Amino acid sequence: MSETLEAPAMRTTEAPPIVEARGVSRRFAKTLDFAAKLARRLGVKVREEVVHAVDGVDLAIRRGEVVGLVGESGCGKSTLGRMIAGILPPSDGVILSHGRDLRSLDGPEARRVKLATQMIFQDPYASLNPRLKVEEIVGEAPLVHGLARRSELAAYVDEQLRRAGLDPALKKRYPHQFSGGQRQRIGIARALAVQPDFLVCDEAVAALDVSIQAQILNLFMKLRKELDLTYLFISHDLGVVEHLSDRVVIMYLGRVVEEAPAEEVFRSPNHPYTQALLAEVPRIDARKRSFAGVQGEIPSPLNPPSGCHFHPRCPHAMERCKLERPALKAIAPGRRSACHLNDLA
Amino acid sequence: MTPPTLEVRNLRTHFFTRAGVVKAVDDVSFTVERGKVLGLVGESGSGKTVTGFSILGLVDPPGRITGGQILFKGTDLATLSEAQMRDLRGNRIAMIFQDPMMTLNPVLRIDTQMIETVLAHARVSRAEARQRARDALGQVGIPSPEERLAAYPHQFSGGMRQRVAIAIALLHKPDLIIADEPTTALDVTIQGQILAEAQKLCTQYGTALIWITHDLSVVAGLADDIAVMYAGKVAESGPVSEVLDAPLHPYTRGLIGSVPSRNHRGAPLSQIPGMTPSLLNLPPGCAFRARCPRAEARCAEPPPFAEYLPGRHARCIHPHLAEVAAA
Ligand SMILES: Nc1ncnc2c1ncn2[C@@H]1O[C@H](COP(=O)(O)OP(=O)(O)OP(=O)(O)O)[C@@H](O)[C@H]1O
Ligand SMILES: Nc1ncnc2c1ncn2[C@@H]1O[C@H](COP(=O)(O)OP(=O)(O)O)[C@@H](O)[C@H]1O
Ligand code: SF4
Ligand code: SF4
Ligand SMILES: [Mg+2]
Ligand SMILES: [Mg+2]
């Protein structure tokens, strides 16, 4: 393993949390998808309800670590990520950023704390203003927030672009003149320009081709070392998460079900859901294997199963699992899991 | 000897756009035997979907098949009438799209859609057709298929919609299924279920499968053979294990190195420099040469698609033969 990962990983055990979620929940009035809207327009009855996108999550991210957040579509990863980044207020609970409750801050201090966390999205195009040149996209925020003087802005922007692996000669161009991978680099340069120490990356490489994805992943790892960054890395791609993370957090239907150092969770997952998830991951070194699939459907977050949300699909479910929500408990140093089986041992 | 289920020879499909000729598929050849799975991989824009559409005869203007042959169980599809082609589609050859709503009609109940599909190609009673529809839903693992038949597509999750689309593709137990990134939008646990169904299909009915994807890990687990596309051409093809263990083509090698794998946790990934070229007015010669670590002057000439080892083709004048010998 590379030295670059060892050093920060060792330090993380004592480091204070850079951001912490305490008992955080978020509810939404469920919006209809395209098929449902169309059906409703044609007279089919479709109900509107409340979704518990995130349901009572505690999570601490320590300075210098890379935390991978995984789980199936709709389990609440992006919602949790946006709350942690301070761009979506929780319905319940608190988010502490750099030790401060985001709600209690205002004025320049609130701005400083907010800038310290930046978010990188899956679709960089949607988040880049199409009418601005790259130099404006990257230079706008540092100028407004007084991080660079106008006289030195050009050099400052060049530096951010170079860091993100873009030739500064391209800075007079508009976003549509770039490929997907290059647009992601523009998004990264824009985030770096406000000198954050914490990046929330939400499916940041999901839209990219494999060879371009490798370029961006390498860039994230290089920046971590150079700028001493902390990451929350949201991805449905377990291969990517395993490659990059020090610690992995697994969500199922709005709740954290397991949390562990990356190497341990991939070697010996504790929670039955994590076990099922990892068993299904296709791997390039597993040839002509037989797939099985986790039984049953991912339940709707509108109407989640009682007790342990996973019980209808769990091969080990017991009576208690239908009745009682399992708490996320320590099962070993640095490892937590939310499963009643751990009480039997 | 029975001919293979599908044989594609030197297929060319070009789009004659105002900006110029897009050679989306340009000299593509591969064979799929009965009961076997071919993984067709490549980055976006490499021509995978257009290859699938060409086989089905679904290329619309300004696109046109400009060369080559498509032999389905020995019959050249170019010799068939439009009516014969229509009968083949959905009956003997089926396609599964990335978006199941390409197959499903949002305003019709599942049973209506499935029964119509059965009746389109089989002379059976409505009751018999309904029975077949129910069995197909059960086969793809949809619980309580009888009740589900009365549902509309929006009442299903993404994964279930895709399974309904697959069930529809299965209705006539086709000889060939072309699946275009059918699990790309799905979660791993649901993807596992669908891959399991695909495997069952090949072994039980001898269906030949073309599985189009950009995910090498899925191909590794599912396919017998692999064809790697780059810029409209097959860069390399052969048995999956041989190609993934010891690729001949520098592009295949780069692609495999880009996949995060457990052995190299945290180490920098090997990356292919640059990006995929535009297929519009592509210059002659090897399309990979601007990104290739082994490029030399001769690569400005079009490299032949040569069989360097038994069953293993590569479009490269300087393939990794020494590494293959050492592997
Ligand atoms: N603004 C919103 N309004 C209504 N519902 C929402 C909103 N945002 C998210 N949801 C719902 O909350 C749940 C969690 O969504 P979220 O986007 O956090 O999932 P995710 O884990 O990021 O999924 P994916 O892997 O598909 O990105 C889903 O059921 C989603 O439909
Ligand atoms: N209708 C069309 N008109 C012009 N070009 C097209 C059309 N359809 C596809 N292409 C081009 O053909 C090439 C291959 O496309 P496609 O087969 O969809 O790629 P893939 O499925 O491998 O991502 C791309 O360059 C694409 O832009
Ligand atoms: S609590 Fe029960 S149902 Fe939930 S994962 Fe554990 S054993 Fe399975
Ligand atoms: S033909 Fe030349 S440029 Fe093309 S892949 Fe082979 S060595 Fe590289
Ligand atoms: Mg999301
Ligand atoms: Mg495609």
Side-chain angles (χ1 to χ4, degrees):
Chain A
M1 182 183 303
S2 77
E3 210 178 331
T4 56
L5 261 180
E6 290 289 358
M10 295 216 309
R11 198 182 45 202
T12 55
T13 25
E14 322 94 66
I18 196 164
V19 62
E20 197 177 348
R22 289 194 188 153
V24 161
S25 296
R26 175 71 207 201
R27 292 175 290 275
F28 291 109
K30 171 83 180 159
T31 49
L32 302 177
D33 68 2
F34 174 72
K37 273 185 196 148
L38 194 62
R40 189 158 73 163
R41 206 174 310 144
L42 291 149
V44 182
K45 281 199 198 74
V46 178
R47 288 172 302 170
E48 271 187 81
E49 291 168 280
V50 172
V51 191
H52 289 259
V54 172
D55 181 14
V57 167
D58 295 307
L59 176 66
I61 298 170
R62 291 181 288 269
R63 187 171 287 282
E65 58 173 355
V66 177
V67 175
L69 180 58
V70 301
E72 291 170 288
S73 181
C75 72
K77 304 181 295 294
S78 299
T79 307
L80 180 60
R82 287 161 67 210
M83 291 193 288
I84 282 178
I87 59 173
L88 178 78
S91 310
D92 296 314
V94 289
I95 303 284
L96 301 176
S97 181
H98 300 77
R100 314 292 300 271
D101 182 346
L102 285 178
R103 291 170 312 182
S104 70
L105 300 176
D106 51 23
E109 187 163 32
R111 209 176 59 199
R112 197 173 48 75
V113 171
K114 278 206 167 131
L115 285 181
T117 299
Q118 289 295 310
M119 201 150 172
I120 313 261
F121 298 94
Q122 166 169 358
D123 180 3
Y125 200 50
S127 65
L128 301 176
N129 186 336
R131 284 184 303 275
L132 294 186
K133 292 184 189 131
V134 168
E135 61 179 357
E136 295 166 311
I137 290 172
V138 175
E140 204 177 22
L143 192 63
V144 171
H145 297 295
L147 295 166
R149 258 186 294 227
R150 192 171 286 282
S151 59
E152 58 203 24
L153 188 63
Y156 186 82
V157 166
D158 288 0
E159 188 192 341
Q160 311 309 320
L161 290 175
R162 234 176 268 121
R163 245 192 208 135
L166 273 177
D167 184 351
L170 304 175
K171 67 184 176 181
K172 304 275 180 208
R173 298 200 186 169
Y174 294 90
H176 75 263
Q177 295 172 289
F178 291 88
S179 70
Q182 287 176 316
R183 282 180 206 144
Q184 196 53 285
R185 291 181 192 273
I186 299 171
I188 293 168
R190 179 181 58 179
L192 296 180
V194 296
Q195 302 171 11
D197 56 7
F198 177 44
L199 293 184
V200 176
C201 304
D202 189 356
E203 301 285 4
V205 296
L208 307 175
D209 274 319
V210 212
S211 70
I212 308 300
Q213 176 178 305
Q215 296 175 358
I216 301 294
L217 290 176
N218 284 346
L219 174 64
F220 279 132
M221 289 190 281
K222 180 178 89 110
L223 292 172
R224 174 197 191 182
K225 197 165 61 169
E226 282 177 10
L227 304 174
D228 209 5
L229 295 173
T230 304
Y231 290 96
L232 176 63
F233 204 89
I234 301 175
S235 176
H236 69 278
D237 186 331
L238 287 144
V240 167
V241 167
E242 179 176 16
H243 186 78
L244 212 70
S245 313
D246 301 315
R247 206 148 60 85
V248 176
V249 173
I250 296 108
M251 282 183 81
Y252 188 73
L253 278 182
R255 298 174 180 171
V256 171
V257 296
E258 183 162 3
E259 196 188 309
E263 246 165 307
E264 291 182 31
V265 81
F266 283 98
R267 187 167 4 101
S268 58
N270 173 273
H271 196 281
Y273 172 66
T274 317
Q275 292 169 357
L277 192 67
L278 295 186
E280 288 313 313
V281 180
R283 293 190 178 277
I284 196 163
D285 42 17
R287 301 294 152 70
K288 206 59 186 169
R289 49 166 288 201
S290 81
F291 292 92
V294 182
Q295 287 313 301
E297 292 302 314
I298 302 169
S300 155
L302 286 172
N303 187 15
S306 62
C308 172
H309 285 344
F310 190 53
H311 84 252
R313 303 173 77 190
C314 179
H316 312 289
M318 315 166 275
E319 201 47 39
R320 182 183 177 196
C321 305
K322 295 182 196 154
L323 306 171
E324 195 185 324
R325 168 177 181 172
L328 187 63
K329 284 193 230 168
I331 53 163
R335 292 194 66 167
R336 297 197 294 164
S337 174
C339 171
H340 293 313
L341 287 176
N342 292 315
D343 292 348
L344 301 179
Chain B
M1 215 180 84
T2 46
T5 303
L6 185 76
E7 205 180 337
V8 173
R9 290 187 192 153
N10 310 106
L11 178 69
R12 287 176 207 275
T13 304
H14 297 174
F15 290 87
F16 299 87
T17 69
R18 211 171 287 168
V21 180
V22 178
K23 297 182 179 173
V25 175
D26 200 34
D27 192 13
V28 163
S29 305
F30 54 77
T31 301
V32 201
E33 302 282 352
R34 191 183 132 82
K36 297 287 181 194
V37 184
L38 170 77
L40 187 60
V41 305
E43 298 182 84
S44 58
S46 59
K48 307 181 295 294
T49 299
V50 174
T51 301
F53 275 53
S54 303
I55 295 166
L56 283 160
L58 290 176
V59 179
D60 290 325
R64 174 156 61 77
I65 295 181
T66 59
Q69 281 178 311
I70 302 167
L71 304 174
F72 176 66
K73 299 208 284 184
T75 305
D76 186 343
L77 293 185
T79 64
L80 298 188
S81 68
E82 184 45 43
Q84 286 171 311
M85 252 336 263
R86 217 177 305 126
D87 192 53
L88 211 58
R89 275 197 299 268
N91 185 6
R92 306 319 320 144
I93 308 179
M95 185 143 178
I96 303 167
F97 303 91
Q98 178 168 351
D99 178 1
M101 295 313 284
M102 291 269 288
T103 306
L104 301 174
N105 186 330
V107 302
L108 293 181
R109 280 173 28 169
I110 299 295
D111 53 359
T112 319
Q113 308 194 34
M114 294 186 79
I115 290 168
E116 290 312 321
T117 310
V118 175
L119 294 178
H121 300 287
R123 276 193 206 154
V124 294
S125 69
R126 254 195 120 68
E128 163 75 23
R130 191 165 201 287
Q131 180 64 35
R132 283 199 198 176
R134 214 196 59 180
D135 293 348
L137 286 186
Q139 239 176 54
V140 296
I142 297 219
S144 38
E146 184 61 46
E147 290 136 56
R148 295 299 189 160
L149 274 177
Y152 288 86
H154 80 265
Q155 292 168 307
F156 290 103
S157 67
M160 280 172 92
R161 276 178 214 162
Q162 190 57 282
R163 269 183 285 167
V164 174
I166 293 173
I168 290 178
L170 300 187
L171 279 172
H172 296 284
K173 307 208 169 31
D175 300 306
L176 173 68
I177 294 185
I178 302 169
D180 190 1
E181 314 230 13
T183 59
T184 303
L186 300 179
D187 288 303
V188 233
T189 59
I190 304 299
Q191 168 171 285
Q193 290 174 345
I194 288 181
L195 295 178
E197 291 310 324
Q199 287 178 326
K200 234 194 306 178
L201 204 68
C202 298
T203 46
Q204 283 182 359
Y205 304 111
T207 303
L209 205 57
I210 299 179
W211 199 269
I212 299 180
T213 177
H214 63 270
D215 190 338
L216 282 174
S217 311
V218 168
V219 169
L222 184 70
D224 300 284
D225 295 294
I226 184 173
V228 181
M229 288 190 70
Y230 188 80
K233 298 179 192 294
V234 176
E236 171 161 12
S237 65
V240 165
S241 276
E242 292 181 37
V243 171
L244 293 184
D245 286 342
L248 284 170
H249 198 285
Y251 175 63
T252 319
R253 183 162 287 260
L255 212 53
I256 294 168
S258 304
V259 179
S261 91
R262 54 178 22 174
N263 311 327
H264 303 98
R265 226 176 75 76
L269 297 163
S270 78
Q271 55 184 52
I272 306 175
M275 28 183 192
T276 45
S278 154
L279 296 189
L280 191 67
N281 307 323
L282 201 63
C286 176
F288 189 57
R289 70 183 189 279
R291 308 172 75 188
C292 181
R294 290 162 82 91
E296 44 183 279
R298 286 187 296 154
C299 303
E301 301 293 321
F305 190 55
E307 186 169 14
Y308 284 100
L309 294 162
R312 296 194 56 182
H313 288 77
R315 193 183 299 273
C316 172
I317 49 144
H318 198 185
H320 288 275
L321 283 167
E323 287 86 339
V324 173

